[in-house]
Amino acid sequence: LSAKFRFVMASAEELAPPCLNLKALQDALNTKFMGRSVLHREVTSSTMDDAAYEAAHTAPAGTMVVAEQQTAPQASTKGRTWDSSTGKNLLFTVLTREPDDRRLLLAIMTPLAMVKAIRMEGVNAWCKWPNDVWIGNSKVGGMIVRVPRQEDGSIAGDAQSVGVGINVNEGFPEAEQQ
């Protein structure tokens, strides 16, 4: 990992929990609002659930919920979960408030941004559409976009949650079928 990435994500041996250096993360961001408000959870059921709660309580766009561990992480496929060892990986959800005509871009741009970030570290990652990030034959990350809906299926409010999980300090999981 590059020096920039290394100081943001410290190993468990280097730093007692929380392992994520939030100040370094915010200092490294070159954004106007994305990630300027960061809510850290050592343990949570799901950063997606936390972001939905924050959205309902008027959290600003760009709010990021970061966790060291998720006990009930969400996955894009029903019945699957995103497993991750405590303090080893990047687990976060970003709250966005995009207009209807730009919401689809979140699902397209997020996995591409994940691949680009990993490639900037000198690793040849690739995207398996619609939402997985792979290195070789191993899935190393994924993303999910959720838009809250009312009972009739209509969109509820203006918030979307973009959840991301990336293996950083953990070995690759067993290769999944491509």
Side-chain angles (χ1 to χ4, degrees):
L1 295 177
S2 73
K4 186 174 184 179
F5 227 11
R6 241 181 271 128
F7 77 81
V8 171
M9 189 76 182
S11 73
E13 294 79 31
E14 295 171 322
L15 187 65
C19 294
L20 189 64
N21 185 332
L22 295 178
K23 177 162 179 12
L25 171 66
Q26 289 179 312
D27 289 348
L29 289 175
N30 186 20
T31 62
K32 292 181 181 175
F33 65 91
M34 196 66 71
R36 292 296 161 203
S37 173
V38 178
L39 306 173
H40 179 263
R41 310 281 193 260
E42 284 193 37
V43 178
T44 186
S45 61
S46 164
T47 59
M48 292 290 283
D49 291 343
D50 291 354
Y53 174 85
E54 297 298 331
H57 292 85
T58 67
T63 297
M64 180 185 288
V65 180
V66 181
E68 301 295 331
Q69 178 187 12
Q70 296 181 106
T71 59
Q74 296 182 24
S76 59
T77 305
K78 291 259 185 212
R80 300 202 66 187
T81 61
W82 176 261
D83 294 325
S84 177
S85 299
T86 302
K88 295 247 181 196
N89 303 302
L90 292 175
L91 308 170
F92 64 91
T93 297
V94 176
L95 173 65
T96 65
R97 296 186 185 278
E98 295 295 326
D100 291 347
D101 62 338
R102 295 185 57 188
R103 289 181 181 184
L104 179 59
L105 290 175
L106 293 171
I108 295 169
M109 299 304 290
T110 302
L112 292 176
M114 293 167 65
V115 165
K116 182 178 179 180
I118 294 170
R119 285 184 176 176
M120 289 173 61
E121 298 299 318
V123 178
N124 190 21
W126 57 279
C127 183
K128 180 179 176 187
W129 292 107
N131 60 351
D132 293 336
V133 175
W134 290 64
I135 297 173
N137 292 325
S138 296
K139 179 179 172 183
V140 296
M143 59 74 58
I144 183 172
V145 176
R146 290 274 160 82
V147 177
R149 302 219 176 246
Q150 298 185 46
E151 287 184 31
D152 66 1
S154 63
I155 294 174
D158 66 345
Q160 309 87 44
S161 298
V162 182
V164 173
I166 302 174
N167 289 351
V168 176
N169 291 319
E170 187 161 36
F172 292 126
E174 287 186 31
E176 297 181 22
Q177 291 292 325
Q178 293 187 33

